[in-house]
Amino acid sequence: MDFKVIFDQHKRMVYNLSLHYVWSKEDAEEITQDVFIQVFSHIEQFRHEAQLRTWIYRITIHTALDFLKKKARKKRGGGWKALFIDSPHWNDKELIPFAHPGFDLEQKEQVEQLMRWIFELPDKQRDAIVLTKLEALSYQVAADCMQISVKSLENYIFRAKKNIQEKIEKQRK
Amino acid sequence: MNIKESSKDMMQDPFSILKKVRSQEVDDVLWTRVSARCSIESLAIPLSHRVVMVMLMAMMLMNMGLGWWKFKKDIHPKSWSNTQYYHQFQWNVYE
C-alpha cells in the first residue's frame, strides 16, 4: 500500500489521539511525525493479524508516552535520577500545561481537572477511557488496540469511573 | 460552570463532558515534513550494517596500532643499533 495513502487515511486519527495524551498542538504534531516515521520504517514487519488501524493506534500511544517521558527527563536535566522516570506526571502543570484545542474555553477548567484525574489512573484504565470516551472507539476496536478482551475493557472502564467518582466526592467535601 | 457546581452531574456520568471534544484538522505541511524525514530515514544505514562497519573500523585501527608498535620496536632510531636494519641507513655509514 502506498505510504501517502496510509498517511492520508490515518493522519487525523494519529494527531487527535496524540492530542489527547499531550494536550498541545505542537507536541501532537511532533508525535504524529514520529509515528509515521515508525510506520514507514516498520511497515514490512507489520503482521496482518491485526488491523493496520489498531497497529497504528498502539504505536501512537507508545510514542506519546515516550515523548512525555523524554520531556520529563529533559526537565529534570538528564542525569541518573532522570533514568528512574517510569511514567510521565500529568499532574505537573508546568511540564504538561492543558492546551487541548478540542474543548471550549468555558469548559476548560472542568475538563482540565477531569483529564488530570483520568491521567492519574493506572495505565490500563487511562487508556480505556481515552480510547472509548475521547476517541469514541467501539469497545471491540478499543479492546483490540489494548490487546485485551472486551470484558476486561469493560472492567477497566467500570473501575476508572468508580475512581473518578471517588475523586469528585473528595473534592466536594 | 466550575467543578463544584457541576459535580452532581459529574457524579452521574463523569465522562459525559468528554463527548464534547472536537476533532482537530491536521495541517497539510505535516506531510511535507513526514515525507522529508522518511527520505532521510530510507538513506540511513541499517543497524546490522553499522555493527559490521564499527567492527571493521576497530580491526583496522588495531592493525594500524600493531603496525606502529612493531615499527617503534624494530625500526625506530632509538633501537637501530639493536636491529638488523642498522646497516640499511646510508647516513649512519658516515657517523
Side-chain angles (χ1 to χ4, degrees):
Chain A
M1 195 194 255
D2 185 19
F3 182 62
K4 175 81 166 87
V5 177
I6 297 177
F7 179 83
D8 286 336
Q9 281 175 354
H10 299 91
K11 62 180 181 185
R12 201 169 166 158
M13 164 199 111
V14 171
Y15 178 68
N16 280 287
L17 184 59
S18 323
L19 210 48
H20 298 329
Y21 277 87
V22 294
W23 309 341
S24 117
K25 268 184 177 180
E26 292 74 24
D27 291 351
E29 277 180 6
E30 220 174 306
I31 292 165
T32 310
Q33 285 183 49
D34 291 347
V35 168
F36 282 106
I37 302 298
Q38 284 186 56
V39 170
F40 175 76
S41 40
H42 295 106
I43 193 80
E44 284 160 19
Q45 291 165 25
F46 168 64
R47 287 166 295 166
H48 293 270
E49 296 156 10
Q51 269 192 15
L52 184 63
R53 189 160 72 122
T54 53
W55 182 61
I56 296 178
Y57 263 120
R58 278 203 291 273
I59 296 179
T60 309
I61 295 173
H62 286 143
T63 313
L65 294 175
D66 280 348
F67 179 89
L68 290 172
K69 271 185 224 168
K70 272 185 207 158
K71 208 172 165 186
R73 276 189 205 129
K74 254 190 206 169
K75 200 198 163 197
R76 283 203 185 178
W80 66 273
K81 267 187 184 172
L83 290 173
F84 295 97
I85 296 174
D86 53 346
S87 65
H89 298 287
W90 279 276
N91 245 346
D92 187 341
K93 290 189 182 184
E94 251 180 71
L95 180 71
I96 314 174
F98 189 76
H100 196 307
F103 292 99
D104 292 332
L105 273 176
E106 307 97 64
Q107 301 164 337
K108 200 190 159 213
E109 191 192 354
Q110 196 181 351
V111 175
E112 179 177 353
Q113 181 60 79
L114 180 64
M115 289 289 263
R116 289 195 194 278
W117 280 336
I118 292 171
F119 280 81
E120 267 178 28
L121 295 172
D123 294 1
K124 296 270 185 190
Q125 292 180 28
R126 175 201 64 209
D127 292 342
I129 296 300
V130 171
L131 292 173
T132 57
K133 306 294 176 188
L134 276 159
E135 270 294 301
L137 293 182
S138 71
Y139 278 18
Q140 186 60 60
V141 176
D144 288 345
C145 290
M146 292 173 68
Q147 294 177 304
I148 55 172
S149 66
V150 174
K151 210 163 185 190
S152 312
L153 179 83
E154 284 170 349
N155 198 14
Y156 286 127
I157 294 171
F158 175 76
R159 273 189 272 164
K161 191 176 173 183
K162 216 174 157 193
N163 284 335
I164 296 292
Q165 281 170 336
E166 275 170 22
K167 284 174 196 273
I168 297 170
E169 193 63 42
K170 247 188 217 172
Q171 175 107 4
R172 281 167 87 182
K173 283 173 189 172
Chain B
M1 189 161 44
N2 71 30
I3 300 153
K4 277 183 186 168
E5 287 167 5
S6 58
S7 57
K8 271 186 192 171
D9 303 332
M10 278 182 85
M11 276 302 275
Q12 292 292 319
D13 183 8
F15 309 119
S16 59
I17 196 167
L18 300 181
K19 286 175 194 155
K20 291 175 187 166
V21 65
R22 288 185 312 271
S23 179
Q24 300 296 300
E25 285 295 332
V26 181
D27 197 338
D28 289 336
V29 186
L30 213 60
W31 168 247
T32 324
R33 288 188 209 146
V34 169
S35 59
R37 279 182 65 185
C38 283
S39 36
I40 295 168
E41 194 71 20
S42 58
L43 291 175
I45 307 163
L47 185 68
S48 55
H49 292 203
R50 271 184 250 177
V51 171
V52 172
M53 273 171 64
V54 168
M55 277 166 68
L56 284 174
M57 196 79 97
M59 276 167 71
M60 199 180 82
L61 285 171
M62 223 166 73
N63 259 322
M64 282 168 70
L66 273 172
W68 177 245
W69 175 76
K70 188 106 175 90
F71 169 77
K72 287 271 277 184
K73 188 172 163 270
D74 298 341
I75 317 173
H76 195 269
K78 278 183 189 167
S79 54
W80 273 352
S81 53
N82 302 324
T83 65
Q84 55 180 314
Y85 304 108
Y86 180 70
H87 64 278
Q88 290 176 0
F89 294 94
Q90 281 290 305
W91 55 86
N92 286 324
V93 173
Y94 304 108
E95 276 183 2

